[in-house]
Amino acid sequence: MTEQTQTPDMETATQPRKAVKRGGGDPATRGRTTIADGVVEKIAGLAARDVLGVHAMGSGLSRTFGAVRDRVPGGSKSVTRGVKAEVGEVQTALDLEIVVDYGVSISDVAHAVRENVIAAVERMTGLEVVEVNIAVSDVKLPEEEDEEPEPRIQ
């Protein structure tokens, strides 16, 4: 009988290949994600509007200009009205200007807005919200009409 010898090529062909990890390290460390201020402002604006007792966002002047812009064909409702965000790499700070409905507790509404905004922004962006400053610029009385200019065309 003849004795067979295995060549190195035969040994590697019968052994399973080991997975080669390319690039090294955790995929989360391979690159950077940046989030624009406007993205955080939209999230915060929508979250604030969801709170019962918030009538509108922004000052009277910004709401008036917004109402005009909303009536222009092709114009879109600004969800960022009344919201200003400063976004860093891992943290964000927000300033909100709101109008509350008459009869609601302003401190309760502000607390609810703060909680809702922080939860939404942190969940969607992964950023830590370090502060949410809320300025109540007006109270909407039941008999007041909304500040929308009269349409120019009937």
Side-chain angles (χ1 to χ4, degrees):
M1 293 196 158
T2 61
E3 191 175 314
Q4 287 185 333
T5 58
Q6 286 187 326
T7 63
D9 290 338
M10 290 177 77
E11 286 177 16
T12 57
T14 58
Q15 293 177 352
R17 286 189 153 199
K18 292 183 181 177
V20 177
K21 195 171 188 178
R22 302 208 185 270
D26 180 23
T29 62
R30 296 188 206 172
R32 213 171 107 189
T33 302
T34 57
I35 299 172
D37 293 359
V39 171
V40 175
E41 289 169 356
K42 281 184 180 182
I43 294 167
L46 291 171
R49 283 174 175 78
D50 282 346
V51 174
L52 192 63
V54 174
H55 178 75
M57 301 286 296
S59 67
L61 185 61
S62 72
R63 290 194 324 270
T64 301
F65 283 131
V68 170
R69 185 178 52 246
D70 294 346
R71 289 181 179 266
V72 173
S76 61
K77 194 170 225 172
S78 176
V79 295
T80 61
R81 185 183 313 142
V83 183
K84 178 69 180 128
E86 292 180 33
V87 180
E89 288 186 26
V90 294
Q91 295 179 325
T92 186
L94 295 151
D95 294 320
L96 281 72
E97 189 172 359
I98 65 173
V99 176
V100 297
D101 291 319
Y102 177 79
V104 300
S105 166
I106 292 174
S107 62
D108 289 349
V109 170
H111 180 76
V113 166
R114 196 170 278 113
E115 280 186 344
N116 208 34
V117 166
I118 290 170
V121 170
E122 287 185 347
R123 178 179 52 82
M124 292 183 69
T125 65
L127 296 169
E128 176 191 7
V129 179
V130 293
E131 67 180 9
V132 177
N133 300 310
I134 299 173
V136 179
S137 63
D138 202 359
V139 173
K140 169 70 169 77
L141 301 175
E143 64 273 2
E144 285 181 336
E145 291 183 24
D146 283 336
E147 295 177 6
E148 288 192 16
E150 292 295 318
R152 294 179 58 183
I153 303 172
Q154 296 285 341

